[in-house]
Amino acid sequence: MIGDGIRRVGAREKVTGAARYGTDRTPPGLAYAMPVVATVGKGRITRLDTARAAAVPGVLLILSHLDDLGITPAGYIMHDGYAFQSLQPLLDDRIAYRGQPIALVVADTLVAATEAAGLVRAEYDTEPFAVELAAEGTETVLQQEALPLPFLADVVVGDADGEYDRSPVRVDEVYEAGPQHQVPMELIGGVVDWRGDTVVVHEGTQSVGALRGGLARQLGIDPDDVRVMAPYVGGAFGQKNSLQPHIAPLAVAARRLGRPVKLVLPRAHTFHAASFRPASRHRVRLGADRSGRLLAAIHEVDQQASRYDLLPATYTEITSRLYDIRNFRGRQRHVRTDAQTPGYMRAPFEHPAVFALESAVDEIAHATGRDPVELRLSNDARADPVTGKPFSSRHLTACLRRGAELFGWAERAPDPCSMREDDGTLVGWGVAAGAYPSLTVPTLARLRADAAGHVLVQVGGHEFGQGITTTLVAAVAGDLGLAPDAVRVDVGDTRSVPHHLTAGAWGTNSTLLAVHAALRDLRRKVGAGPEGPVDLAAAVRATGGEEVVVEAVTQAPGQPPEMIDRMRAGLVAPAGPEYPAHVSFSFIAHFAEVRVEPATRRVRVPRVVSVADCGRVASPVTADAQVRGGVVWGIGAALRERSEVDPRYGGFVNNDLADYVIPVNADIGRIEVDFIDEPDFVLNPMGVKNLGEVAVVGVAPAIANAVFHATGRRLRRLPILIEDLL
């Protein structure tokens, strides 16, 4: 473990309120904005009445499609753009989905802006719309035809259909995962101000580079005239991974008024103002012999899309590799609906994909009379079944064995409904595995070492609670033999270094790789050896200057050189990594106990054991927190969370924390976390793999499998509801 014993950087600031988030800024002359949103599912605005709103005392400005805002769309992030969707509201009279912004009210006070926004009236010509996968009026397209890119092609290995038909034991079922929202505690919002010709944005974001490049494109200005700062992001989980539609109108308002403007979106608005996890439907056909050896898998996915963008889907990247299945066929389709463009939510494809596969694997275990852990162990893969390449490291077997030991799996009675408490409570034990690819993106790191023996680390990453700053402090201090307080990390500022999007659990891996390369250069420049403690103050002074600055840019294998240019422009790197001699994933095993009350059928999860293979643990305190948080997410996904739509009106109707039910402390039992902690030096010199996303993968099926063990009822739709068990 790299940073054992190091305190979490920024913890004191967060708990004392000293940490400054984007919307904490209150510069002099601040004005406040509030959006007005569409109340129909689809159509056109025929009349927009703002007279009563404009008469509210303190109202300064109302922007809508009736004004010439002078902005252009920033483009979809997954298609050479910067925004979470290609649609930019307020530019015309078209309504694509309920909840779409149709006006922006700006006033001296938040109270006035809110009151006035409620007085704006719109009339519409409505059109038919569809918000569910099975609704009339949707359009279905095949991904490999609509997005003909090699890494998005369907995974096909062997003869899956033929081998499935010949399998003596078969499962053919449909598993469903509803739409979900990230609902981070920190709301979406920011402060926009003009300082001369430079626009300054304080916004909680996972990609200051996308905000910089996108806003420059929208306003038609030089990116050097845009500065974006996000030293603390707050919760994000994918919702804040790109430019959102409020920022350019805020910049227009701030310029016209000559004063800064703040917007904090109400919770209900966040359900439509950013991306969400799309609904998905999975048909899984799994074939095995009578001993439980998996022979064939067919995984067909339908994923929700908007009418105008397709979110590239990679569900089968994981399910084709979790076990040694030599015959696999995947198919991924997009179902166009009348919603905003779906996007990334923690373990975006892997969570629902593994729920489907690991539920089917459990069904095979039950059908063949095999213990669910032993069946998984017997189907472990020694090499990647898709490419034949070795894994850079794979310790899934160790995760399963250690998890079973910590959980006490040997005491499990195998038959469903066989474990009960004296009061009739049904007890179930379930297991599931998970995986997530080891991703790396282009990253620039700059180290400034001074004659006082301090190091400033400037690196293209974002701190949104995952502990990236703690990990980097630990890495630099440990490498040079410095005290942790001699190292300061600067992230989330476009005036520092270029920033790629931080997501996909690649933040720690990518920034550590760049910082490691910069450390090697720093050691050379100050005349230090390749390893061991350095008297940095003396070494810097010996160079004859007060400061030594080094810079390193790194990227993953298989990423062409132009990916670095994209990083500098704030665009995502859509290609790679493509490791020439191996493939790389992180792995995890989850063991869950559920208790089902005999009368109400309420499901509780009193304990979970999770064991992760994430390579060398980069920061024990943050790694433990990541897995615990992932387990809580999984409990929510299994038993609580679903974004509900009303097909009569469109939009998401449970758009607050009263109705969008997430787990609270009373829902969470004991969570035991352990790590294999085996360095993966094939993957990178630090030996680390990712952790933040894989922590979620497999929790929901472990709980669903435990519910089956407790009740004998196999539930194939998330979340599991009380009425499903009555």
Side-chain angles (χ1 to χ4, degrees):
M1 296 188 180
I2 296 175
D4 205 4
I6 290 184
R7 292 182 178 180
R8 185 159 181 157
V9 175
R12 179 178 294 275
E13 290 83 353
K14 289 181 179 179
V15 300
T16 59
R20 302 280 284 172
Y21 295 82
T23 55
D24 290 336
R25 310 288 167 171
T26 55
L30 184 64
Y32 297 83
M34 185 60 59
V36 181
V37 299
T39 56
V40 298
K42 191 176 184 180
R44 288 183 176 273
I45 303 171
T46 58
R47 182 169 178 268
L48 190 66
D49 183 358
T50 62
R52 292 179 62 202
V56 173
V59 169
L60 304 169
L61 188 66
I62 301 176
L63 299 178
S64 73
H65 72 281
L66 301 175
D67 302 280
D68 180 9
L69 301 184
I71 61 178
T72 59
Y76 179 39
I77 186 174
M78 300 308 296
H79 194 257
D80 288 327
Y82 298 94
F84 92 86
Q85 63 180 7
S86 58
L87 174 68
Q88 171 62 50
L90 306 188
L91 299 188
D92 58 38
D93 61 359
R94 292 175 296 169
I95 302 300
Y97 54 89
R98 186 182 181 93
Q100 175 184 320
I102 61 172
L104 185 73
V105 178
V106 185
D108 283 325
T109 67
L110 178 59
V111 171
T114 303
E115 179 186 354
L119 296 175
V120 174
R121 294 290 178 265
E123 297 176 5
Y124 307 92
D125 273 343
T126 60
E127 301 172 16
F129 59 88
V131 290
E132 297 177 307
L133 290 179
E136 182 180 351
T138 60
E139 177 193 0
T140 301
V141 296
L142 187 64
Q143 173 161 288
Q144 67 178 13
E145 294 178 356
L147 300 172
L149 299 172
F151 73 98
L152 296 177
D154 288 336
V155 177
V156 178
V157 180
D159 178 18
D161 293 273
E163 195 63 35
Y164 173 79
D165 289 339
R166 293 186 290 270
S167 298
V169 180
R170 288 176 288 186
V171 168
D172 183 354
E173 298 290 351
V174 174
Y175 305 86
E176 298 180 14
Q180 293 179 318
H181 280 76
Q182 302 89 339
V183 293
M185 182 169 61
E186 181 79 6
L187 291 165
I188 295 171
V191 178
V192 179
D193 191 13
W194 286 88
R195 300 173 187 173
D197 291 329
T198 298
V199 60
V200 179
V201 180
H202 292 274
E203 172 102 359
T205 178
Q206 296 170 241
S207 185
V208 293
L211 268 62
R212 174 178 180 260
L215 188 56
R217 178 184 289 183
Q218 290 196 282
L219 299 178
I221 62 177
D222 192 312
D224 288 341
D225 291 330
V226 181
R227 183 181 185 185
V228 183
M229 288 177 278
Y232 289 105
V233 177
F237 313 114
Q239 189 182 60
K240 303 174 182 177
N241 73 351
S242 49
L243 180 72
Q244 290 167 339
H246 63 271
I247 297 176
L250 283 182
V252 171
R255 169 162 268 182
R256 291 186 180 182
L257 294 173
R259 55 195 288 189
V261 180
K262 175 189 286 193
L263 171 65
V264 180
L265 286 175
R267 177 69 67 185
H269 288 218
T270 67
F271 279 70
H272 301 97
S275 62
F276 63 99
R277 191 197 303 280
S280 59
R281 182 174 55 227
H282 306 251
R283 183 185 178 191
V284 175
R285 281 169 278 178
L286 202 57
D289 65 18
R290 299 195 187 281
S291 72
R293 183 168 66 92
L294 300 176
L295 303 175
I298 302 167
H299 185 185
E300 297 177 327
V301 187
D302 287 343
Q303 172 187 271
Q304 181 181 15
S306 70
R307 294 288 182 182
Y308 36 85
D309 300 312
L310 298 179
L311 171 68
T314 56
Y315 294 93
T316 58
E317 179 181 25
I318 293 299
T319 54
S320 61
R321 291 172 156 102
L322 198 55
Y323 297 108
D324 187 25
I325 304 175
R326 305 298 178 88
N327 301 281
F328 184 97
R329 178 174 64 80
R331 187 210 66 195
Q332 298 172 118
R333 301 192 305 181
H334 299 263
V335 182
R336 295 188 184 274
T337 64
D338 297 299
Q340 75 264 32
T341 299
Y344 298 92
M345 178 172 166
R346 196 176 186 183
F349 313 109
E350 295 74 17
H351 150 64
V354 167
F355 165 68
L357 181 73
E358 282 293 81
S359 296
V361 168
D362 214 63
E363 299 199 46
I364 290 287
H366 181 68
T368 57
R370 292 290 305 276
D371 176 84
V373 173
E374 290 302 320
L375 182 136
R376 287 170 169 82
L377 291 171
S378 66
N379 283 284
D380 191 36
R382 296 183 178 275
D384 175 28
V386 175
T387 65
K389 297 177 183 178
F391 291 97
S392 62
S393 65
R394 180 183 171 106
H395 302 291
L396 179 56
T397 291
C399 293
L400 286 163
R401 293 192 187 282
R402 188 176 298 179
E405 179 183 357
L406 293 172
F407 192 80
W409 186 262
E411 302 301 317
R412 177 183 184 266
D415 294 332
C417 308
S418 60
M419 297 174 67
R420 292 175 181 260
E421 294 293 308
D422 292 340
D423 64 357
T425 296
L426 299 169
V427 179
W429 290 3
V431 62
Y436 195 87
S438 298
L439 303 175
T440 307
V441 297
T443 305
L444 187 151
R446 183 183 299 128
L447 304 184
R448 296 181 179 273
D450 64 28
H454 298 135
V455 179
L456 171 63
V457 182
Q458 296 172 303
V459 63
H462 302 79
E463 176 59 79
F464 43 87
Q466 84 279 37
I468 193 172
T469 50
T470 303
T471 300
L472 294 173
V473 165
V476 173
D479 186 282
L480 298 175
L482 303 176
D485 58 7
V487 181
R488 184 167 67 88
V489 175
D490 182 8
V491 293
D493 187 343
T494 55
R495 285 287 173 90
S496 172
V497 295
H499 284 64
H500 189 278
L501 161 67
T502 301
W506 62 58
T508 297
N509 180 30
S510 300
T511 54
L512 273 177
L513 187 63
V515 168
H516 180 271
L519 281 167
R520 308 279 70 75
D521 194 22
L522 177 63
R523 283 177 168 274
R524 287 191 293 270
K525 283 199 171 182
V526 299
E531 59 183 27
V534 178
D535 184 345
L536 192 62
V540 170
R541 288 196 296 269
T543 66
E546 292 298 309
E547 183 181 64
V548 174
V549 180
V550 297
E551 190 173 285
V553 179
T554 54
Q555 63 183 122
Q559 290 177 332
E562 57 264 27
M563 292 300 102
I564 294 175
D565 295 332
R566 292 179 64 88
M567 175 267 291
R568 293 182 182 275
L571 295 164
V572 298
E578 184 65 41
Y579 304 107
H582 64 270
V583 297
S584 186
F585 294 83
S586 291
F587 298 93
I588 198 163
H590 300 285
F591 293 77
E593 177 179 312
V594 302
R595 296 185 177 230
V596 183
E597 295 175 356
T600 67
R601 295 300 196 186
R602 179 172 181 176
V603 180
R604 295 186 180 273
V605 184
R607 65 188 183 110
V608 175
V609 171
S610 301
V611 182
D613 164 28
C614 58
R616 187 182 186 188
V617 177
S619 172
V621 64
T622 54
D624 183 85
Q626 283 277 23
V627 177
R628 291 178 188 276
V631 170
V632 173
W633 268 62
I635 292 172
L639 302 175
R640 299 285 186 271
E641 294 182 53
R642 184 184 178 98
S643 301
E644 301 289 350
V645 297
D646 189 327
R648 299 171 300 172
Y649 305 111
F652 297 100
V653 296
N654 58 333
N655 53 8
D656 56 47
L657 291 182
D659 294 321
Y660 186 89
V661 185
I662 60 174
V664 297
N665 284 347
D667 297 313
I668 307 303
R670 180 163 56 92
I671 301 172
E672 187 172 354
V673 177
D674 201 3
F675 300 96
I676 302 303
D677 198 27
E678 286 286 343
D680 186 342
F681 293 122
V682 174
L683 182 62
N684 57 54
M686 304 82 62
V688 301
K689 298 193 289 187
N690 64 72
L691 179 62
E693 308 266 0
V694 78
V696 186
V697 184
V699 180
I703 293 171
N705 294 338
V707 168
F708 170 75
H709 181 236
T711 67
R713 186 168 296 187
R714 180 70 66 182
L715 301 174
R716 303 182 180 93
R717 183 182 65 177
L718 294 180
I720 295 168
L721 305 176
I722 287 176
E723 51 263 39
D724 297 330
L725 293 169
L726 289 174

